Amino acid sequence: MEQKKLITYTAGHASIRKQLLLFWIFFIIGAFTIGGGYAMILLMKRYLVDQYHWLKDEEFYDMLAISQVTPGPIAVNMATFVGYTQGGVLGSVLATLGVSIPAVAVIIVIAVFFPGFKDNIWVQRFFAGVIVGVVAQIATIVLDLGKRQKWTIVSAVVCAASLGILFFVHQVSPIWLILGGGLVGVIVETLKPHGAAPATTKRAS
Amino acid sequence: MISFLALFGVFFRIGMFTFGGGQAMIPLLQKDLVLNLAWVPMKEFLDFVAISEITPGPVAINMATFVGYKLRGLTGALVTSLGVILPSFIIILIIATVAHTFRTNRWVSAFLDGLQPVVLALLTYAVYSIAMGGIPAWWGYIAAVGILLLILKYGKKLNLFLVLLAAGGLGLLMFR
């Protein structure tokens, strides 16, 4: 029933140059992700959506959502996913290695040469400053995603309820919220008139 | 001597069953490495966490490398890192091969649309918890808002690396 395939995620076939570029981009992203996987979302979007136009906004945020439903570090999930869609299996291997190598290398260097690294007052101050920048970058993504969200009563309630649970219930695994949100999406879809195919038309912008 | 296979197994399992990103792995790692297996003393574990959080790269990989290196040297570090990465890689690869149906299938599409407000909430909470845990002074919050406004105003023209470096420099000068 849906002829217009607006968004497709298929294995990409890429030139050697693009494969190397995939590795390099994710290497840079891995090297500048301080403070956990969320910190790299804006940087990733800059590269993949704005600069190289490999992904549309919707595709990027779809992949981000999927990376959160699946186990493992979000950065690795994103790298594998983007790598596969851009350069097939080789691309996914290269992107995953790219995002991982800086993390491995820096820890080995610290473990071998700088055991007192984290106790250095200048390191601590620099890190505290970087976190200020990271917070601003994640907030940018929050605003962008909030703007793109198709706000309905249901999505507003889901968002508010998730926030409430995150802030007031301790130790709740995000997976339950995510599955809950997906379930609400499916329930809403079942309540729609037959054959409406809203997901496709909604994203036709 | 802890075998490479045992090292790999622990990290593979944690990589396989931890949802919600690398940060969510820390309590599980603590339970396994410190309590159940007693491979790493608590104090050392907390040091690993502190360093992983201020070094580049996903925290889960930092942690894996650290533990692997401490227990079995360079090879150990590669074994544990690979262990924590592989489950993600395999699972995403499987999903990616069927992903071309995502937006053409009504139900998967509805599921993904349902996720989006939750992802928004998770990111909002991440802003809150990272700020609370990492910004040591009140004016740090004001600086964060200032940087946010800069990013919004100059958009794609603003170099994000420079933003982070400048923020770090600000931290060197101002945080006491």
Side-chain angles (χ1 to χ4, degrees), chain A residues 74-154:
Chain A
I74 291 166
V76 177
N77 293 341
M78 285 294 284
T80 308
F81 209 149
V82 173
Y84 182 78
T85 60
Q86 298 308 311
V89 175
L90 178 63
S92 69
V93 171
L94 288 173
T96 307
L97 282 178
V99 89
S100 309
I101 285 173
V104 175
V106 78
I107 291 297
I108 289 175
V109 168
I110 286 174
V112 176
F113 299 107
F114 307 105
F117 176 76
K118 77 167 176 50
D119 300 317
N120 183 302
I121 184 73
W122 299 107
V123 168
Q124 289 172 358
R125 287 181 187 168
F126 184 80
F127 173 68
V130 168
I131 283 295
V132 170
V134 166
V135 165
Q137 292 193 3
I138 307 175
T140 310
I141 285 288
V142 168
L143 293 179
D144 188 47
L145 199 53
K147 213 164 55 189
R148 285 174 189 287
Q149 173 71 41
K150 191 173 180 294
W151 289 106
T152 60
I153 293 172
V154 175

Side-chain angles (χ1 to χ4, degrees), chain A residues 2 33 46 62 72 127 189 199, chain B residues 18 57 103-104 106 109 155 158:
Chain A
E2 275 140 330
T33 304
R46 279 284 174 85
D62 270 0
F127 173 68
E189 183 70 18
Chain B
T18 314
R103 282 297 175 185
T104 49
R106 186 181 166 195
S109 197
L158 199 65

Side-chain angles (χ1 to χ4, degrees), chain B residues 44-100:
Chain B
E44 208 171 352
F45 183 83
L46 292 178
D47 278 357
F48 290 172
V49 174
I51 294 174
S52 297
E53 281 177 343
I54 62 172
T55 43
V59 171
I61 301 177
N62 294 146
M63 286 296 292
T65 307
F66 231 129
V67 174
Y69 182 80
K70 282 284 167 182
L71 296 175
R72 287 302 305 268
L74 217 52
T75 318
L78 296 182
V79 165
T80 48
S81 303
L82 209 60
V84 88
I85 293 165
L86 268 183
S88 279
F89 180 78
I90 295 166
I91 290 167
I92 290 287
L93 216 51
I94 292 169
I95 290 177
T97 53
V98 298
H100 57 276

Side-chain angles (χ1 to χ4, degrees), chain A:
Chain A
M1 73 185 185
E2 275 140 330
Q3 290 301 315
K4 39 181 179 182
K5 279 200 279 181
L6 287 158
I7 298 175
T8 52
Y9 306 88
T10 47
H13 298 285
S15 60
I16 303 284
R17 194 180 163 277
K18 189 173 174 185
Q19 300 281 15
L20 292 177
L21 193 59
L22 267 173
F23 176 82
W24 177 242
I25 287 174
F26 277 95
F27 184 87
I28 295 288
I29 290 168
F32 283 87
T33 304
I34 299 178
Y38 286 124
M40 48 114 221
I41 299 173
L42 186 61
L43 192 56
M44 246 185 209
K45 186 162 180 276
R46 279 284 174 85
Y47 275 129
L48 304 171
V49 179
D50 300 332
Q51 192 175 338
Y52 290 100
H53 307 289
W54 288 345
L55 301 173
K56 299 192 191 78
D57 282 297
E58 297 84 0
E59 295 172 317
F60 181 79
Y61 283 124
D62 270 0
M63 288 186 186
L64 184 63
I66 291 162
S67 295
Q68 308 220 23
V69 204
T70 47
I74 291 166
V76 177
N77 293 341
M78 285 294 284
T80 308
F81 209 149
V82 173
Y84 182 78
T85 60
Q86 298 308 311
V89 175
L90 178 63
S92 69
V93 171
L94 288 173
T96 307
L97 282 178
V99 89
S100 309
I101 285 173
V104 175
V106 78
I107 291 297
I108 289 175
V109 168
I110 286 174
V112 176
F113 299 107
F114 307 105
F117 176 76
K118 77 167 176 50
D119 300 317
N120 183 302
I121 184 73
W122 299 107
V123 168
Q124 289 172 358
R125 287 181 187 168
F126 184 80
F127 173 68
V130 168
I131 283 295
V132 170
V134 166
V135 165
Q137 292 193 3
I138 307 175
T140 310
I141 285 288
V142 168
L143 293 179
D144 188 47
L145 199 53
K147 213 164 55 189
R148 285 174 189 287
Q149 173 71 41
K150 191 173 180 294
W151 289 106
T152 60
I153 293 172
V154 175
S155 65
V157 167
V158 167
C159 187
S162 307
L163 274 176
I165 293 170
L166 285 167
F167 274 99
F168 298 111
V169 185
H170 291 285
Q171 299 292 339
V172 61
S173 169
I175 187 64
W176 301 119
L177 297 177
I178 287 170
L179 289 178
L183 193 65
V184 170
V186 171
I187 291 170
V188 167
E189 183 70 18
T190 47
L191 299 177
K192 277 181 182 153
H194 182 70
T200 324
T201 43
K202 193 173 78 186
R203 289 188 169 246
S205 58

